[in-house]
Amino acid sequence: MRRKIQDNLTAYGFLAAALVIFALFSWYPIIRGVLLSFQQVNFVSDPTWVGFDNFATLFADPLFLTAWRNTLYFTALALVVGFALPFAVAIVLNELRHVKGYFRMVVYLPVMLPPVVIAILWRWFYDPGPGLFNNVLSLFGIPGLQWLDSTDTSMLSLVLVSTWGAMGSATLIYLAALQTIPGELYEAAELDGANIWQRIRHVTIPQTRFIILMLMLLQIIATMQIFTEPFVITGGGPENATVTVLYLIYKYAFLYNDFGGACALSVMLLVLLSAFSALYLKLTSSGGEDS
């Protein structure tokens, strides 16, 4: 009995330490941010309670709608360009019989690089002068593009950077899910005369649909918090075409010295992402019950 009590106390001690860390570094900043969104604060003078004035200031800012539009546009492009790519790469890796481990390492390698390093590397790729991409195009007699200086291609360029840097994790998750599919299902499909596309459509996708849906929701949540790429590569340009919500939060806090406005915008983003998180938890729990 005494041994059991000691084990329980030890477990509660570890749990208490985790709760303290979460309280200090997660829960307290969230609560503090919500309170600051209703205050005028610059961390120099005493804060002043202003109610919903910070939110009204945001709605009157022309960049407010621009930032939300750019963020949603980036999220949509990321789903179109980058969502199917890890799944396709995982299918190819799953079919390999040799050097599979090597290609897994190659695919996952960008994830191990710091995001700022990736952004700087791709900024050189996009350079209109000595950049890699325009030099490759010139080999085929194709005129170089203004990758980052055109409002038509700047956001797509950032999506490619984000996809390349983050797709390794999703690819390995898909690969793990593919390896749990019983081989008998593919054998039965082959006996029925199904080609590779029909096997993917009728076997692979149905068997991994839960993982696909979960990763789609997680990608939406992640891409709506895009900041590093526009901050390092484009600086929000050209013509504010890559100003995102998080980049606007940064501008309010560190350029305008308006931390109340920055927190107000953060609260709006928190509410939206919480809705996606609630949907994620609901689908996760329902999936667990089905299994």
Side-chain angles (χ1 to χ4, degrees):
M1 183 65 179
R2 179 178 300 176
R3 177 66 177 176
K4 184 177 180 180
I5 294 176
Q6 290 177 347
D7 291 342
N8 289 338
L9 289 177
T10 302
Y12 288 138
F14 282 110
L15 179 61
L19 290 176
V20 169
I21 292 175
F22 272 105
L24 288 177
F25 297 102
S26 294
W27 302 332
Y28 173 75
I30 292 175
I31 296 173
R32 179 64 171 162
V34 172
L35 293 176
L36 289 177
S37 67
F38 297 100
Q39 298 176 342
Q40 183 180 2
V41 56
N42 54 20
F43 296 112
V44 176
S45 57
D46 294 334
T48 304
W49 187 268
V50 295
F52 290 94
D53 287 356
N54 289 327
F55 294 90
T57 301
L58 286 172
F59 288 130
D61 188 347
L63 281 180
F64 176 77
L65 291 179
T66 300
W68 281 106
R69 183 173 60 251
N70 291 341
T71 301
L72 295 175
Y73 180 48
F74 180 91
T75 301
L77 280 178
L79 288 176
V80 172
V81 176
F83 180 66
L85 183 60
F87 188 66
V89 172
I91 291 176
V92 173
L93 291 178
N94 193 50
E95 295 297 324
L96 292 177
R97 295 294 179 263
H98 304 287
V99 295
K100 183 184 294 185
Y102 170 77
F103 283 108
R104 287 182 191 172
M105 181 193 69
V106 171
V107 170
Y108 191 75
L109 183 61
V111 179
M112 296 185 287
L113 297 176
V116 174
V117 173
I118 293 175
I120 294 174
L121 176 65
W122 277 74
R123 187 172 63 183
W124 173 74
F125 287 168
Y126 288 134
D127 193 294
L132 175 64
F133 292 157
N134 280 349
N135 283 332
V136 171
L137 292 177
S138 65
L139 295 177
F140 298 93
I142 301 175
L145 299 177
Q146 298 295 323
W147 299 93
L148 303 176
D149 297 327
S150 171
T151 57
D152 296 327
T153 59
S154 56
M155 189 62 79
L156 178 59
S157 300
L158 297 187
V159 169
L160 295 178
V161 178
S162 176
T163 300
W164 184 83
M167 80 172 200
S169 298
T171 300
L172 292 187
I173 294 174
Y174 282 133
L175 186 60
L178 291 175
Q179 293 176 350
T180 63
I181 301 176
E184 295 82 1
L185 296 178
Y186 289 109
E187 294 175 0
E190 290 179 0
L191 291 176
D192 290 337
N195 57 36
I196 184 172
W197 302 113
Q198 291 172 330
R199 293 198 297 271
I200 292 174
R201 177 183 176 185
H202 297 290
V203 178
T204 305
I205 294 179
Q207 290 294 315
T208 57
R209 64 184 183 277
F210 183 72
I211 297 298
I212 291 174
L213 181 58
M214 291 301 99
L215 288 181
M216 181 182 70
L217 292 174
L218 291 177
Q219 180 172 342
I220 291 174
I221 293 173
T223 52
M224 291 200 67
Q225 301 178 73
I226 184 69
F227 171 74
T228 303
E229 287 81 359
F231 178 73
V232 176
I233 299 177
T234 62
E239 301 177 10
N240 297 320
T242 57
V243 172
T244 61
V245 172
L246 251 66
Y247 189 78
L248 187 59
I249 291 174
Y250 161 80
K251 294 185 69 173
Y252 266 87
F254 300 105
L255 299 182
Y256 306 158
N257 201 29
D258 183 2
F259 292 94
C263 289
L265 187 54
S266 300
V267 168
M268 295 181 191
L269 184 61
L270 172 65
V271 171
L272 182 60
L273 295 183
S274 297
F276 283 113
S277 299
L279 179 61
Y280 170 80
L281 293 175
K282 180 179 179 180
L283 292 174
T284 303
S285 60
S286 62
E289 293 172 359
D290 294 340
S291 61

